[in-house]
Amino acid sequence: MNITQLHTEIKLWDDFVHRQAAARGPHLGGWKKVIEESFGHKCIYLMAANNDVISGILPLVHVRSRLFGSFLISVPYLNYGGILAENAATQQELFDHASKLAAERGAAYLELRHEAPQLPEVPTKQHKVTMLLELPDDPDKLWNQFKPKLRSQIRKPMKEGLTVRIGREEELTHFYEVFSVNMRDLGTPVYPRSFFANILKHFPSSTWICSILLHEQPVAAGFVCGFRETLEIPWASSLREYNHLAANMLLYWSILEFAVKNGFKQFDFGRCSPGEGTHKFKAQWG
């Protein structure tokens, strides 16, 4: 088995990703360009191959931060990542190689964002859950499966005059205005605007922004990414002073309706901790 690093063979890499049933959007090679261009981190994308035939991959990012220290992660800023391999032997070899790289680079730890434990001897954290919603083939069917209370909460912002816009670069200013304020209020470091601009640039056919506006003022916004039959919302924010208008309810309904109309079969609400407010919010959608 020969393990090399991805340099220019992104098509070869992505062809392997698309052949794997367990693949998720963050495995795609375009995220390497997004992270390098947005944050300047060293990306080490490992490929395991025999006679130039790929049997496994592992996208790694070496993050060095004054605040958080030094670590290797697959993949930062996103919910998923980790090893994608055709067999257990390749999986173990990629893990061993990554562990060696972590030690050589002085990383405090190696983190792989698998959806379920894959390496039985490796410590795991399972404090987060992923919230998924299976989608019907018609928005009316989805609407009718909601409880009356939820439908009432969605109608409220409509009656208040809030409007919906779904687009790409033309909605980036609206999204970032809401996102940056929300992150500041939460005391969380804000990703640069260039991060989201680069995602739109490198994934032109599978990323969108939904903005909720009150008299042209953005009050809620979400950034969504599609991969295969799943639409995911990694980032969503709303302005606290407009919470009484329930803009978040219209945001999520609008994105779900968009997902159904565009043929997606599943909606990924993202990770959260059981019992917390975000968990309860997502659970009400079924």
Side-chain angles (χ1 to χ4, degrees), residues 232-250:
E232 179 187 359
I233 183 165
W235 305 281
S237 298
S238 60
L239 299 180
R240 292 182 181 180
E241 60 264 39
Y242 296 98
N243 280 355
H244 64 285
L245 298 178
N248 228 19
M249 305 305 295
L250 182 57

Side-chain angles (χ1 to χ4, degrees), residues 30-48:
W31 288 104
K32 180 177 186 291
K33 292 183 178 180
V34 170
I35 292 171
E36 287 174 340
E37 293 174 11
S38 306
F39 300 98
H41 298 317
K42 174 65 175 177
C43 292
I44 309 164
Y45 274 42
L46 302 177
M47 296 187 296

Side-chain angles (χ1 to χ4, degrees), residues 86-218:
E86 293 183 337
N87 54 68
T90 300
Q91 183 183 64
Q92 187 65 50
E93 190 160 352
L94 282 165
F95 176 75
D96 292 342
H97 194 91
S99 300
K100 182 180 178 182
L101 279 175
E104 291 173 351
R105 289 177 164 269
Y109 61 87
L110 167 67
E111 178 181 332
L112 306 178
R113 292 187 170 176
H114 295 138
E115 292 183 76
Q118 292 191 22
L119 300 151
E121 303 302 319
V122 177
T124 63
K125 288 184 178 181
Q126 292 178 286
H127 60 294
K128 299 281 188 181
V129 296
T130 294
M131 308 288 282
L132 302 171
L133 177 66
E134 299 301 318
L135 300 174
D137 57 4
D138 185 273
D140 289 339
K141 293 180 182 178
L142 181 62
W143 178 264
N144 290 330
Q145 75 185 37
F146 294 153
K147 294 179 179 179
K149 181 181 178 181
L150 180 60
R151 293 200 295 265
S152 177
Q153 289 176 311
I154 297 169
R155 289 191 185 101
K156 176 179 172 58
M158 296 178 180
K159 293 176 180 176
E160 295 285 352
L162 274 65
T163 57
V164 181
R165 289 174 52 168
I166 296 178
R168 303 192 70 257
E169 285 85 356
E170 67 273 18
E171 293 304 312
L172 181 55
T173 297
H174 286 154
F175 166 79
Y176 197 72
E177 182 178 330
V178 176
F179 176 79
S180 58
V181 170
N182 190 52
M183 292 298 102
R184 181 201 65 195
D185 290 347
L186 293 172
T188 303
V190 181
Y191 300 151
R193 178 189 168 110
S194 60
F195 176 51
F196 302 103
N198 286 328
I199 296 172
L200 293 169
K201 179 176 73 172
H202 290 294
F203 295 97
S205 61
S206 59
T207 54
W208 302 270
I209 293 171
C210 179
S211 302
I212 306 299
L213 300 101
L214 176 64
H215 309 312
E216 298 303 313
Q217 164 68 35

